[in-house]
Amino acid sequence: MKTTSRTKFKEIFEAAVDLPAFERSNLLADVCVGDDNMRAEIEKLLAADDAAGDFLESSPFDESTDKFIGIRTQKFIGKTIGQYCIEREIGAGGMGTVFLATRTLGDIVQKVAIKIVHEGRHSEEIIRRFLIERKILAELEHSGIARLIDAGETAEGLPYLAMEYIAGVPLDEYCRTNDLAIDERLELFRKVCGAVAFAHRRLIIHRDLKPSNIIVTADGETKLLDFGIAKLLEPVGADTLKTATVMNLLTPAYAAPEQILGKTVTTATDVYSLGVILYELLTGIRPFSFGDKNYQEIVHVICEADPLAPSSSHLQLKGDLDNIVLKSLRKDPERRYQTVEQFSEDIERYQKGLPVSARPDTFSYRAAKFFDRNKLTVAVAGIFLISLIGGAITVFYQYTVANRERALAERRFSDVRALANNVVFRYNDEIAKFPGSTALRGELVEDAVKYLDGLSADEIEDVSLKLELARAYQKIGDVQGRPYTANLGKSEEALTNYQKSVDTLEKASAKSPDEIELKRELVRSYLRLFSLQLRLRLNDNPDNTTKALKLQLEVNDADPSDPIANAAQLADVYITQADYNFPDVIPERIAAYQKAADLLESIPNKTSEIQRSWTRVNQRIGSNYIWHGEALLQKGETESAFQNFRIALPYNERMSESVKTEIAVSGGTPNLRRNLAGSFGGLGDNYSKLGDKENSLTMLRKNLEISLELASDDAKNTEAQIDVANAYISFADAYEQFGELPKTIVSNEKALEIYKKLFANDEKNGEVANGLVLRMNKIADLLEKAKRAQEARNYRQKTIELCKIEINHSTCKSIAVIE
């Protein structure tokens, strides 16, 4: 092949390799016209590049066509880059080549691994990924993750990273050459899980976990490498990675179905890759063999074929290990372990002989596990029982009675734990991810209430049991009527169960004042109770939130072991305080919210919990600046009003980006989609106040579309109906702002119809009652402007009649319609 042909050959290959396989044939048909030999040779190289075992571990050009990449990288050997002298190549991947290098600092010679972008393949996309990898590594300070030391550019302008050099071998090779026992392999694997879980808590998904990216040192410590295609879950980077590029960089043998199909990745994606690794460590083979299969066949295997149980090749793995591994490899991400911690904990439970969550929780299974763990204890108990029978009958009687009571307590404890973890927590939480599930969740929790009430009547003084009871009552209250989440609109029932949670924890905490977890949970119960009381207009006493703040500060002082979790809950207390304590004084309320915002902003690596609070506080501050601007506008202070509208915009923008980040982590659950709709609504309102009609209506349409979808998907979800009403109100306000009176009236009437239905279902809901009265009064005002006097009088009369109902009295006084 001539030099010019070789250059063309290389250019065509590098253009095709960055395309999904199913698009390559069109490209080759266009550029290889009249040269079937070239096309055939390129297709062979592309097939090699797609080989499952080493998918872009190195370019096919390493073994063919004069080793293009090898030639390019040889020139770095012996050269100095920055402070580092390049000694030899130690590896190559899809984005770059890794060299061993040294840096001399006085008498100290430091070895580092230098990663340099491939020359000739440093496209804008590759460089962007390289820079993202640098940012990710800079944020990952963990003993199980290779740390970033330095970064810069070569003389040719190629980005490089200088990383901690890890002397060791890949995970699978270490296990094989050291002939590790199963338990030893599991211990190593759990160390890897710890590093991956740390990255997940920093909102980073690795997306290319495989044994070659996990090095084990001579002393048995694991180090996680290569975050080259990791997903940095921050707003600025959430949508920057092109599917085609990811498809060319990931390793199909370890890739989850959602990666292969280009769908949203979450922490469960890394769980799948870890499952493949564990399968391979335990059996010596991978769960799927691709052989000479083409791309479409590989996709089918990964997305459709079920793996054989590990015990099919190694009988000693039969039982819990089979179930643990197969759960991690489920095709549907929602059916896998949702976190790496859960995966690792199940392995630990297996190692300790405890029941695992991946196994059906039957009595026979639990009993077998008990006897396996306590063979000696059971034997001794048997001998002791025989001696009692042969000895003192009275002592035996007392012993059996005590054991019956203890057995009853243990059985009830096991029952409530099974109920709380399975029905109230696991089943409810999983069902909540599906549209239209609120009614079914309601049936579950109604049965649970009866059972829990019976258990709470038992005088069993066990801290763990009290915690389970309190948390279960919280969950039940959430389904029945937690504000701003999917609920059944049963506010009074929710209030009752939140109060039960508070009562249970207050009594337990009084008896066990040193139990920090009781206090921590009591703060959560206070916040739920106070928020619902606020919605129901039942209590205007600021001391309620003062109790929560005092208790949370005690918790933070007593247990500083998890500062991030403490900060998240303290921020939630500040947010609830601001909601509760300043009903009519907006500047003071904004200042209170800002305390929470400052606390959250000071945390550099936001966990999902922190991200959720960050979303809430930005929404609150943005909304309050708009309300303050509206109040100033009514006073005629136009410039000050618009200044508040302008200040509000960055907060609403941050809320929108924060929700998108949450969705990138957890997927589009109904609650997160609801928050996304709300963020569009906040932006739409803000743009409207600033006079930006086009952007305002665009955002409001997005808000309404998502809100209608959620309401249609889940007809029993009261919160979804409130959201639709509020979406119409936002449209009405915008149309009024832009002088479109007929549309303003129609949008208000649509909101009113929804509020009428909601009020009929839940008269105690002060927010619904407030919305109903305000809409009726607003429509009356608008009809008067439209010269429709009789219709306006009819609405005024209906509003007066409604306001005679006691629950609406304070709302009605605020708009001065009481006769």
Side-chain angles (χ1 to χ4, degrees):
M1 193 179 290
K2 297 178 181 178
T3 304
T4 53
S5 297
R6 173 71 66 189
T7 302
K8 181 180 180 183
F9 183 96
K10 171 178 172 289
E11 290 173 351
I12 294 171
F13 171 82
E14 292 187 346
V17 79
D18 285 332
L19 293 174
F22 51 82
E23 292 182 10
R24 291 172 179 167
S25 60
N26 292 335
L27 172 68
L28 295 180
D30 291 339
V31 299
C32 296
V33 176
D35 196 341
D36 293 339
N37 290 334
M38 178 185 284
R39 177 171 180 173
E41 193 170 346
I42 291 174
E43 286 177 337
K44 286 180 183 178
L45 284 175
L46 290 170
D49 199 57
D50 288 339
D54 299 291
F55 192 78
L56 272 186
E57 290 287 342
S58 59
S59 168
F61 285 109
D62 283 351
E63 302 299 330
S64 309
T65 62
D66 298 330
K67 301 192 174 188
F68 288 139
I69 289 178
I71 292 170
R72 287 198 299 265
T73 58
Q74 285 296 317
K75 70 178 185 179
F76 292 114
I77 306 298
K79 298 289 181 65
T80 298
I81 295 177
Q83 306 175 58
Y84 309 97
C85 179
I86 306 297
E87 294 188 355
R88 60 182 171 86
E89 181 180 327
I90 56 177
M95 289 199 303
T97 302
V98 183
F99 300 90
L100 175 63
T102 56
R103 174 172 64 170
T104 302
L105 302 169
D107 296 332
I108 300 173
V109 177
Q110 179 186 25
K111 288 186 176 182
V112 298
I114 296 280
K115 184 174 183 179
I116 306 174
V117 167
H118 286 317
E119 187 177 10
R121 294 196 67 190
H122 55 293
S123 67
E124 181 181 343
E125 179 65 27
I126 292 294
I127 291 176
R128 180 162 67 248
R129 295 310 308 160
F130 202 79
L131 295 177
I132 288 176
E133 180 179 8
R134 183 172 70 185
K135 182 175 182 181
I136 288 171
L137 288 171
E139 295 180 357
L140 293 179
E141 286 287 341
H142 187 272
S143 60
I145 299 174
R147 62 189 176 86
L148 178 68
I149 296 172
D150 196 2
E153 288 188 354
T154 69
E156 296 82 1
L158 302 176
Y160 73 82
L161 305 177
M163 298 170 291
E164 176 185 10
Y165 173 66
I166 310 299
V169 296
L171 178 64
D172 55 342
E173 182 181 340
Y174 182 88
C175 293
R176 187 169 55 251
T177 56
N178 290 279
D179 195 23
L180 297 188
I182 288 175
D183 200 54
E184 292 173 313
R185 294 173 189 236
L186 293 176
E187 280 301 309
L188 269 184
F189 181 78
R190 291 189 62 235
K191 288 183 180 180
V192 177
C193 289
V196 176
F198 176 84
H200 286 180
R201 288 195 295 273
R202 270 60 188 172
L203 303 181
I204 295 166
I205 302 171
H206 191 286
R207 302 207 296 184
D208 194 24
L209 292 168
K210 54 191 174 186
S212 61
N213 280 341
I214 303 163
I215 299 299
V216 186
T217 62
D219 57 358
E221 294 303 315
T222 61
K223 289 281 188 176
L224 187 58
L225 312 176
D226 199 355
F227 281 80
I229 65 166
K231 190 168 188 181
L232 183 63
L233 298 173
E234 293 182 359
V236 294
D239 300 315
T240 61
L241 188 60
K242 296 177 182 177
T243 301
T245 305
V246 175
M247 289 298 296
N248 283 319
L249 294 174
L250 58 79
T251 309
Y254 300 91
E258 61 268 25
Q259 287 179 284
I260 294 295
L261 297 174
K263 295 183 177 179
T264 300
V265 297
T266 66
T267 52
T269 304
D270 278 352
V271 167
Y272 182 95
S273 300
L274 287 169
V276 178
I277 293 170
L278 181 57
Y279 192 111
E280 189 172 359
L281 293 184
L282 295 175
T283 67
I285 60 175
R286 295 174 186 152
F288 302 114
S289 176
F290 299 140
D292 59 356
K293 291 180 172 63
N294 62 31
Y295 176 80
Q296 286 78 12
E297 290 170 333
I298 291 173
V299 170
H300 175 77
V301 169
I302 294 172
C303 299
E304 302 295 336
D306 290 323
L308 294 174
S311 62
S312 63
S313 59
H314 291 71
L315 288 177
Q316 71 268 32
L317 303 176
K318 189 172 181 63
D320 285 348
L321 276 180
D322 268 345
N323 286 289
I324 289 171
V325 174
L326 293 176
K327 180 173 180 176
S328 70
L329 293 175
R330 287 173 178 166
K331 306 298 182 187
D332 183 355
E334 301 294 340
R335 298 186 64 229
R336 293 176 211 143
Y337 294 102
Q338 291 303 290
T339 66
V340 176
E341 287 96 333
Q342 292 174 0
F343 192 5
S344 181
E345 285 167 6
D346 238 9
I347 294 171
E348 183 182 24
R349 293 182 70 80
Y350 162 78
Q351 291 176 295
K352 292 180 177 178
L354 297 169
V356 301
S357 67
R359 180 78 178 263
D361 194 16
T362 62
F363 173 77
S364 60
Y365 170 60
R366 281 185 168 275
K369 283 292 178 185
F370 176 81
F371 287 121
D372 283 344
R373 293 197 309 275
N374 301 281
K375 290 184 177 70
L376 179 61
T377 304
V378 172
V380 171
I383 294 170
F384 182 58
L385 182 58
I386 291 171
S387 69
L388 286 175
I389 294 173
I393 299 299
T394 302
V395 174
F396 170 74
Y397 175 75
Q398 293 172 343
Y399 173 79
T400 54
V401 168
N403 271 281
R404 284 175 187 168
E405 291 175 349
R406 185 168 63 254
L408 173 63
E410 290 176 351
R411 180 173 62 80
R412 286 195 173 275
F413 177 79
S414 297
D415 286 347
V416 74
R417 187 169 294 254
L419 174 76
N421 288 337
N422 292 334
V423 177
V424 180
F425 293 101
R426 185 154 62 94
Y427 298 158
N428 171 66
D429 290 353
E430 287 300 311
I431 291 170
K433 296 175 182 176
F434 295 95
S437 61
T438 306
L440 176 58
R441 292 169 63 209
E443 293 177 15
L444 276 174
V445 300
E446 283 179 7
D447 291 338
V449 169
K450 299 172 187 175
Y451 192 71
L452 288 170
D453 283 346
L455 285 170
S456 63
D458 294 328
E459 291 300 322
I460 302 174
E461 299 306 326
D462 186 292
V463 169
S464 296
L465 176 59
K466 297 302 183 186
L467 278 170
E468 296 288 0
L469 282 169
R471 288 168 177 160
Y473 281 127
Q474 282 180 17
K475 282 286 184 182
I476 290 164
D478 290 349
V479 177
Q480 290 171 328
R482 186 181 183 185
Y484 314 119
T485 63
N487 67 73
L488 294 165
K490 298 183 176 181
S491 301
E492 286 188 292
E493 289 92 331
L495 195 69
T496 297
N497 283 302
Y498 286 154
Q499 190 64 58
K500 287 179 183 177
S501 180
V502 167
D503 292 344
T504 299
L505 290 166
E506 284 183 336
K507 291 175 184 176
S509 189
K511 291 183 179 180
S512 305
D514 296 329
E515 290 289 346
I516 297 300
E517 196 56 35
L518 287 172
K519 294 181 178 180
R520 198 187 304 277
E521 202 63 46
L522 181 54
V523 173
R524 295 190 186 105
S525 288
Y526 278 149
L527 296 182
R528 278 171 162 76
L529 179 64
F530 301 160
S531 294
L532 185 57
Q533 287 176 333
L534 183 65
R535 167 169 277 190
L536 300 182
R537 311 295 201 266
L538 291 179
N539 197 331
D540 295 323
N541 183 2
D543 289 342
N544 282 331
T545 53
T546 302
K547 285 195 298 185
L549 177 60
K550 180 176 180 293
L551 193 57
Q552 184 59 44
L553 292 174
E554 287 178 14
V555 169
N556 290 6
D557 289 339
D559 182 16
S561 61
D562 193 345
I564 291 179
N566 287 346
Q569 190 145 310
L570 181 58
D572 282 347
V573 174
Y574 284 144
I575 291 170
T576 305
Q577 265 200 319
D579 288 346
Y580 222 91
N581 293 3
F582 306 101
D584 302 312
V585 191
I586 294 176
E588 283 84 345
R589 190 159 66 229
I590 291 174
Y593 287 131
Q594 193 62 52
K595 287 172 65 178
D598 292 343
L599 183 62
L600 295 168
E601 194 167 18
S602 68
I603 300 170
N605 301 309
K606 293 179 174 57
T607 63
S608 296
E609 187 177 6
I610 296 290
Q611 196 71 43
R612 194 170 303 118
S613 297
W614 183 240
T615 299
R616 289 177 63 211
V617 76
N618 278 292
Q619 181 271 329
R620 298 290 205 282
I621 296 175
S623 295
N624 275 272
Y625 271 116
I626 287 178
W627 296 336
H628 191 44
E630 289 173 339
L632 292 170
L633 207 58
Q634 290 179 355
K635 296 178 182 178
E637 300 177 29
T638 305
E639 182 51 40
S640 295
F642 274 84
Q643 179 64 15
N644 275 269
F645 298 150
R646 286 188 288 270
I647 293 172
L649 188 57
Y651 289 102
N652 282 312
E653 289 172 337
R654 279 198 288 269
M655 181 213 175
S656 182
E657 294 303 323
S658 181
V659 176
K660 290 174 185 176
T661 298
E662 286 189 78
I663 290 173
V665 177
S666 305
T669 63
N671 272 339
L672 286 180
R673 288 176 62 210
R674 174 190 180 271
N675 290 347
L676 182 62
S679 75
F680 289 139
L683 283 170
D685 289 341
N686 210 154
Y687 285 131
S688 170
K689 301 303 178 189
L690 292 170
D692 186 343
K693 182 176 181 180
E694 182 178 354
N695 276 325
S696 173
L697 296 181
T698 297
M699 291 294 108
L700 294 179
R701 286 190 196 99
K702 289 182 179 181
N703 174 27
L704 182 59
E705 286 169 4
I706 298 174
S707 298
L708 287 170
E709 285 175 9
L710 292 171
S712 174
D713 289 344
D714 199 351
K716 295 291 185 180
N717 180 1
T718 294
E719 204 69 37
Q721 309 302 321
I722 292 175
D723 289 340
V724 174
N726 287 335
Y728 281 125
I729 292 169
S730 292
F731 261 115
D733 291 345
Y735 284 137
E736 186 173 17
Q737 171 88 8
F738 302 127
E740 300 185 38
L741 186 57
K743 290 182 179 179
T744 306
I745 294 172
V746 169
S747 294
N748 273 297
E749 287 174 338
K750 288 180 178 179
L752 178 62
E753 290 306 309
I754 295 170
Y755 275 121
K756 285 179 179 177
K757 294 175 183 177
L758 293 173
F759 184 71
N761 180 58
D762 189 7
E763 290 188 4
K764 298 294 185 182
N765 190 324
E767 189 170 327
V768 169
N770 181 62
L772 180 61
V773 172
L774 287 176
R775 279 318 100 199
M776 292 178 71
N777 197 61
K778 181 67 176 179
I779 292 172
D781 290 342
L782 293 169
L783 289 171
E784 287 176 352
K785 288 183 181 179
K787 310 300 183 185
R788 294 160 61 179
Q790 185 56 51
E791 293 174 79
R793 281 193 292 273
N794 291 341
Y795 270 101
R796 296 280 188 214
Q797 186 59 41
K798 289 177 182 177
T799 306
I800 291 169
E801 292 171 2
L802 181 61
C803 282
K804 291 177 180 177
I805 300 173
E806 184 176 353
I807 190 172
N808 291 314
H809 187 72
S810 60
T811 302
C812 293
K813 282 199 299 184
S814 69
I815 58 174
V817 295
I818 291 291
E819 290 181 305

